[in-house]
Amino acid sequence: MKRPILIHPDPRLKKLCDPVADLSDDLRTLADDMLETMYDAPGIGLAAPQVGILHRLIVLDCAKQDNGETPRPLVMINPRILASSDERSVYEEGCLSIPDQYADVERPKMVEVEWLDRDGKLQKEEFDGLWATCVQHEIDHLDGKLFIDYLKPLKRQMITRKMVKLKRERARP
Ligand SMILES: [Zn+2]
């Protein structure tokens, strides 16, 4: 089932999320719903706070299906960055909670991430390129941080004003 995505500014997008204590069927349903919501958007990543759930859960799939890559949906529970490269890279980022706004963000080029998968199994993997950027962007959400927080204040305020306007328009009957 698709879930509505919160649009910035929203206090729930600024919260530090709680670790998941145990893997319930509700949590698995939430993960499945988040993947469906993400693919439908379409997007390459989604964090639980973006659907109003303040728990440390993200989903992502950066496989380039246009280029014939096989989909690779990842569910990450309590994801943790173990190591980041000194080498950095710049990607133009966007966010499903900040529709149609894009900006360059510099982040470590490679990260090693540990997480619990959908079955509660501990996983560890090194990500590079777009995957690395995406996983860092999604983990940031769990700490109440958005990609616009990396931008200069003026640019950030400009985007926030646009989102306030968008929300006002969407709320109109
Ligand atoms: Zn985002």
Side-chain angles (χ1 to χ4, degrees), residues 12 28 83 101 131:
R12 288 165 288 182
R28 287 193 182 89
Q101 303 298 319
W131 283 91

Side-chain angles (χ1 to χ4, degrees), residues 8 101 157-167:
H8 163 75
Q101 303 298 319
Q157 285 155 19
M158 203 179 76
I159 291 177
T160 299
R161 273 201 297 274
K162 280 186 190 163
M163 293 301 106
V164 169
K165 192 162 164 259
L166 176 76
K167 285 175 81 169

